[in-house]
Amino acid sequence: MKRPALRTGVRWKISIAIAAVGALVALALSLVVHNSARVSMLDNAREVQLERLLFAQRMYDSTKEPKLGTKLNDAALPRDLRAKMKQGRRATHVQETASGVPDVWAAVPLSNGTVLSLHSKFPDSTTIMKDLDRSLIIGSVSVVFGGCALGVLIGGQLSRRLRKAAAAAGRVAQGNTEVRVGDAVGGVVRDETDELARAVDALTDALNERIEAERRVTADIAHELRTPVTGLLTAAELLPPGRPTELVRDRAQAMRTLVEDVLEVARLDSASERAELQEIALGEFVERRVGMLNPEIKVKVVHESWVSTDPRRLERILGNLLANAAKHGGTPVEVTVEGRVVRVRDHGPGFPEALLREGPSRFRTGATDRAGHGHGLGLTIAAGQARVLGARLTFRNAMPEGIEGRDGSGGAIAVLWLPEHAPTTTGSFPILKLPE
C-alpha cells in the first residue's frame, strides 16, 4: 500500500525548524533562569534572616529577652537545624509549604545551651517568581514567533530561487534550450541553488551538443543517400514493364521521399530556415491549394483575412496535415478557415495519446488505433514549418477515445494559428498573442 505523501514547501520546513530550535533554546534558558533566580532569592532570604537573628541575639544578650519575633527553644524548629545546633553551629533553613510560600528559618546556639531562632515566611519570592515566569513565557513566545518569521523570510527567498530555477528548467524541457537557469535564478547571495543551476545549464549544453551532433549525422547520412537513391530511381525507370518493376519503383520513390523529408527536418532543426513573406488572402489560398491536393475535400471559409506569410511553407503544412488525415483518419475530411486560424479535421479514431501529450515525434507513429504507417515525419515537418512562420500548430481530438460526439463521430483536429505579425526576414519573431 502506497503511503500518502505530505507535501510542504521549503519555506515552511525552514520556518518550523527554526521555530522548533528557538522553542527548545527558549525553554532551556527559561528553566535555567527560573532555577537560578529562585536559588538566588532564597540565598538572599537566608542571609537577611540570619542578619536579623544576629541582631536579635545581641539584644538578647543585653536584655535576656527574645526580641524581633525570635523564640527560645522553639518546638517547631526543623530537624536539620536541631542537628546543627547540637554541633554548636549557627545555620539557616528553607522549608517548602503546600501554599508555595517558603518558610525561612535561622537559628543560633547560645552559651547557656538554649537555641535562639527566628522563623518567618517569604511571600515576596512567590510574587517575584510569578512575574519572572510570566516574562519568560512572553519572551519565549516572542522568540518562537520571531524565529518563525525569520524562517519564512529565509525560506521564502530560497523557495523563490528554487521556483525560478524550476520554471527555467521547465522552459528548457519544452525545447527552449537558450534559457539559462543560472541567469533566471540571479541574486547576490550564492548558495546551493546556484550549484543546481550550473549543473542544469551544463546538462543543457551537453544535451544541445548531442542533439546538434545527431542532427548533423542525420543530415549527412540523408545527403549521402540522396545521390544513390536518385540513381536507383533512375535505374528503376529503365526496367521492363511489369509488376516487379512497379514494386521497385514504388519502394525507390518511398526511399527518396524519406531522404528528402529527413533533410527537411534537419534544416528545420538547424533554425536556419527563413520565411519568404507575401500578402495573401488566406481563405482563397487554402481553397485553391486544397482543391489541387484533394478536390473531394470541402473548404469552409467562415471569415476571410489577409495574412503576411510564406505561401510555399503554408502549402507544405496543409499538404502534410491533409496527407496525415487521409492516411490515418477517416472521411470526411473538413478544412475550416476563420480569420487567421485554419482547422483540419478528420472523422477517424483521433490522435494517439502520446502525440497529444508530447507533440509529434519523428520516426514514431505510435498508432495502433490509427493506420500506423509511415515514418512519423509528416506532422514533425508541419510543426517545424509552422515555427518558421511564427505560427502555432496544435493537436486535439474532437472527443475522448471511446466516446462519440454529438454528430456520431469523433476525429482528430489539427489547428494552425497564424500570427498577427509575420516573422522578419532575419528569422526573429515579435511577441505573439495567440488565442487560447
Side-chain angles (χ1 to χ4, degrees), residues 120-415:
S120 62
K121 293 183 177 296
F122 188 43
D124 292 343
S125 65
T126 303
T127 304
I128 294 173
M129 292 306 299
K130 287 182 179 179
D131 293 340
L132 177 62
D133 290 341
R134 188 181 302 109
S135 300
L136 290 175
I137 291 174
I138 295 174
S140 299
V141 172
S142 301
V143 168
V144 171
F145 278 101
C148 189
L150 181 62
V152 170
L153 181 63
I154 298 175
Q157 184 176 5
L158 179 59
S159 178
R160 284 192 296 271
R161 289 168 62 83
L162 290 175
R163 290 182 184 277
K164 289 180 180 179
R171 292 196 295 272
V172 173
Q174 294 173 358
N176 190 357
T177 55
E178 299 299 324
V179 174
R180 312 306 295 173
V181 179
D183 296 338
V185 171
V188 178
V189 179
R190 298 301 177 185
D191 53 23
E192 287 78 1
T193 309
D194 297 278
E195 297 179 7
L196 173 63
R198 286 194 295 271
V200 174
D201 289 339
L203 178 63
T204 303
D205 293 337
L207 182 61
N208 287 337
E209 292 176 0
R210 181 172 181 179
I211 292 175
E212 180 61 22
E214 292 180 354
R215 185 195 65 79
R216 287 197 302 267
V217 169
T218 303
D220 293 342
I221 292 175
H223 189 271
E224 293 298 326
L225 287 175
R226 199 174 192 178
T227 300
V229 168
T230 301
L232 179 61
L233 190 60
T234 302
E237 297 293 335
L238 302 178
L239 294 176
R243 181 58 181 169
T245 299
E246 293 179 1
L247 292 176
V248 171
R249 290 174 179 172
D250 289 344
R251 293 301 89 197
Q253 183 61 45
M255 185 177 294
R256 181 178 182 178
T257 301
L258 173 60
V259 171
E260 295 295 335
D261 287 347
V262 170
L263 284 173
E264 185 173 358
V265 170
R267 288 195 301 269
L268 292 172
D269 286 345
S270 66
S272 60
E273 295 288 283
R274 297 292 179 265
E276 298 179 2
L277 305 179
Q278 295 182 21
E279 290 285 338
I280 61 172
L282 183 60
E284 179 186 354
F285 177 86
V286 172
E287 283 184 322
R288 187 168 62 252
R289 290 300 188 268
V290 172
M292 294 172 58
L293 295 171
N294 191 340
E296 297 181 359
I297 298 176
K298 302 298 182 181
V299 179
K300 180 181 179 181
V301 180
V302 179
H303 175 65
E304 181 64 276
S305 177
W306 283 83
V307 297
S308 178
T309 188
D310 189 328
R312 179 180 64 84
R313 298 183 189 278
L314 181 57
E315 183 178 359
R316 178 66 163 154
I317 296 172
L318 288 173
N320 283 14
L321 294 180
L322 294 177
N324 182 80
K327 184 181 294 184
H328 302 295
T331 57
V333 178
E334 303 171 354
V335 179
T336 305
V337 180
E338 185 174 358
R340 298 174 178 274
V341 180
V342 180
R343 292 181 177 87
V344 177
R345 176 182 178 179
D346 64 52
H347 290 75
F351 290 117
E353 289 298 327
L355 187 145
L356 297 177
R357 184 175 58 254
E358 304 171 7
S361 179
R362 66 197 68 175
F363 299 108
R364 184 186 70 183
T365 57
T368 56
D369 54 339
R370 290 166 76 85
H373 304 301
H375 305 284
L377 294 179
L379 295 182
T380 302
I381 293 174
Q385 294 290 6
R387 286 194 299 271
V388 176
L389 295 179
R392 184 177 64 168
L393 183 60
T394 61
F395 305 94
R396 63 182 178 89
N397 290 330
M399 294 292 291
E401 293 184 6
I403 302 178
E404 289 189 345
R406 295 180 180 177
D407 58 352
S409 62
I413 303 177
V415 184

Side-chain angles (χ1 to χ4, degrees), residues 57-106:
Q57 181 186 7
R58 289 193 294 271
M59 293 180 67
Y60 177 80
D61 292 339
S62 300
T63 62
K64 301 302 179 181
E65 292 182 2
K67 301 290 185 179
L68 302 177
T70 58
K71 294 181 181 181
L72 290 174
N73 299 324
D74 191 349
L77 193 68
R79 183 179 302 174
D80 292 344
L81 282 180
R82 290 180 184 275
K84 293 178 180 179
M85 293 304 102
K86 291 179 180 181
Q87 298 174 3
R89 298 165 50 192
R90 62 186 182 186
T92 59
H93 178 76
V94 176
Q95 187 175 13
E96 298 290 344
T97 62
S99 62
V101 180
D103 290 339
V104 182
W105 290 80

